[in-house]
Amino acid sequence: MSDTTGQQASGQQPTPPGRAPKEPERPGGGILMGRPFGVPIYVTPTWFLIAALITWLFGNQLDGVLPELGYTRYLVAFSFAVAFYASVLVHELAHTLVALRYKLGVRRIQLQFFGGVSEIEKEAETPGREFWLAFVGPLLSLVLGGICWGLTETVRLATVPGVLLAGLTVSNLVVAAFNLLPGLPLDGGRMLRAVVWGITKRPMSGTLAAARAGRVLAIVVLFGLPVFAASRGGGPRSAGDSLLDATLAAVLAVVIWNGAGNAVRNARLKEALPTLTVRGLTRRAVSVAADTPLAEALRQAREAQAGAVVVADGHGEPIALVKEAAVLQVPEHRRPWVAAGALARSLEPGLRLAADLDGEELLAALRTTPASEYLVLEADGSVYGVLAVADVERRLSAALTRR
């Protein structure tokens, strides 16, 4: 299974603005395997689980085809697992090359339990480019399947090369067919999104249609895959095989269902970003001295209809921001005896924001220096107010949960 993801798409959740950003090239526990075309490739620990499963299942099948191998069949089966994921990597590199050709940027490629993921930083600008970006992966899998099928004509099937080539032929064709299914987060879902986007001229309409198709596909996989597996071949299946089929179907269904939902949430976030402006979210602020009692500072704020308090020095220059969370922890009867400065955070360079910031630039600035409040300044250096991250998160939450 393969999946291409955008910076605001993929199954990728945007980093909450009040938290430190994750290192872009260090997925948890991933092993760096190389950097073709400058894009880091990681193998996650879950790959070893699926490699072991493939080795066990394929090795058991080899016992009936090439019994003379003995336990060596598991080494052959492991070779197949590695070759299969090499094919998956080629699939992902196809997405990567097209993304780089369109100057979309690729953060990394991950090989994991259910295939690979290409983390593409930006979305395609047109439905045509979106369609081609999604289609090129399954296309390369079809080509690889065809090449392996052609090579099977040069060897005997009842040999190790013949078995490996036959297995790679089937697996690449299955990968291509599965990824062409029309539902997010699969490549076929992105192709469907591109088609609906092209017809309606609205990217969100395409995302919603492909996400709904993905949810339907998840239900079909959940119930249909075990039935399909049970109908293959003759003879009854063991309870262990049936349990494995049901477990695989359930995990696949969850991955597809969640991926479809994440695609919608990220698309809504992208729609909301242009309306995310510092000026529209900034609270009015009052300035007080550091030794001003908290109760007095809050009284001044209420009188000025302000939602934030700034601590200023003797020259009236802001030096710190009173933290709202700290204020709420001080009981009412203690506020006359607590200085406002004791609840403030000193103004570091990253805690000053330009009043004209918006969208992705605003989120990037918040991630650079995580805090609960930021001082907002006009171009001439005058204080415009205070931006509370809680207000940004509420605006984003409203956009992500909108039906």
Side-chain angles (χ1 to χ4, degrees):
M1 187 172 92
S2 172
D3 173 24
T4 55
T5 64
Q7 189 176 26
Q8 266 70 39
S10 119
Q12 291 273 347
Q13 287 295 321
T15 303
R19 301 177 190 171
K22 295 180 180 178
E23 182 67 26
E25 293 188 359
R26 295 289 298 177
I31 301 173
L32 178 63
M33 302 301 293
R35 296 174 181 270
F37 312 107
V39 178
I41 297 175
Y42 290 93
V43 174
T44 66
T46 57
W47 177 84
F48 295 95
L49 294 176
I50 192 64
L53 180 61
I54 291 174
T55 300
W56 176 54
L57 294 176
F58 194 61
N60 290 340
Q61 290 182 344
L62 284 176
D63 190 34
V65 180
L66 299 171
E68 67 275 10
L69 289 178
Y71 288 107
T72 308
R73 67 182 184 273
Y74 291 109
L75 179 60
V76 175
F78 180 73
S79 300
F80 169 75
V82 173
F84 169 64
Y85 268 82
S87 301
V88 172
L89 178 58
V90 171
H91 177 118
E92 296 305 325
L93 285 174
H95 291 306
T96 294
L97 287 175
V98 174
L100 294 176
R101 171 68 177 82
Y102 291 153
K103 295 180 170 55
L104 302 179
V106 181
R107 182 175 299 135
R108 62 191 170 191
I109 295 173
Q110 288 192 44
L111 298 180
Q112 49 187 293
F113 191 85
F114 280 111
V117 176
S118 302
E119 294 188 13
I120 299 172
E121 295 177 348
K122 301 176 184 177
E123 288 194 0
E125 298 174 352
T126 66
R129 288 188 171 189
E130 170 80 352
F131 186 92
W132 176 244
L133 177 62
F135 178 59
V136 69
L139 177 61
L140 257 292
S141 292
L142 286 172
V143 170
L144 286 175
I147 292 174
C148 291
W149 176 78
L151 290 175
T152 59
E153 299 297 314
T154 66
V155 298
R156 291 191 304 112
L157 289 180
T159 62
V160 170
V163 169
L164 289 177
L165 286 171
L168 289 173
T169 299
V170 174
S171 59
N172 275 286
L173 294 179
V174 169
V175 166
F178 185 76
N179 276 280
L180 286 172
L181 293 175
L184 287 172
L186 302 177
D187 293 329
R190 297 184 69 86
M191 293 164 63
L192 174 61
R193 175 181 183 268
V195 171
V196 177
W197 175 6
I199 294 173
T200 64
K201 311 303 180 185
R202 296 185 65 245
M204 179 57 81
S205 296
T207 301
L208 291 175
R212 292 189 186 104
R215 291 282 173 86
V216 172
L217 178 60
I219 295 173
V220 171
V221 167
L222 178 62
F223 296 103
L225 185 59
V227 172
F228 172 76
S231 65
R232 288 182 307 162
R237 292 172 59 81
S238 69
D241 288 338
S242 299
L243 179 61
L244 180 62
D245 293 336
T247 302
L248 178 63
V251 174
L252 271 176
V254 169
V255 169
I256 296 172
W257 184 279
N258 289 339
N262 288 336
V264 173
R265 283 189 290 273
N266 288 316
R268 285 176 176 155
L269 172 61
K270 184 179 179 182
E271 275 198 337
L273 282 181
T275 68
L276 199 67
T277 65
V278 169
R279 290 189 184 277
L281 293 168
T282 296
R283 300 177 181 182
R284 186 195 302 269
V286 296
S287 296
V288 300
D291 59 357
T292 303
L294 178 59
E296 172 60 17
L298 294 179
R299 186 196 66 77
Q300 292 183 28
R302 285 193 298 269
E303 190 175 89
Q305 295 184 329
V309 177
V310 177
V311 175
D313 62 15
H315 303 287
E317 293 295 322
I319 58 173
L321 299 175
V322 175
K323 297 179 288 186
E324 183 180 35
V327 171
L328 295 176
Q329 291 177 357
V330 179
E332 189 87 26
H333 68 277
R334 289 281 303 152
R335 292 177 179 179
W337 315 107
V338 176
L343 306 177
R345 176 175 178 175
S346 299
L347 276 173
E348 306 163 18
L351 298 186
R352 293 178 171 88
L353 300 179
D356 293 327
L357 280 180
D358 60 13
E360 293 184 6
E361 290 184 348
L362 169 57
L363 293 184
L366 300 188
R367 294 187 191 114
T368 300
T369 308
S372 55
E373 287 88 12
Y374 297 81
L375 184 67
V376 179
L377 302 174
E378 292 282 13
D380 61 4
S382 61
V383 175
Y384 182 75
V386 171
L387 176 69
V389 167
D391 295 339
V392 179
E393 292 177 339
R394 275 192 287 270
R395 178 69 63 84
L396 292 177
S397 296
L400 295 177
T401 56
R402 176 170 48 86
R403 293 293 180 184

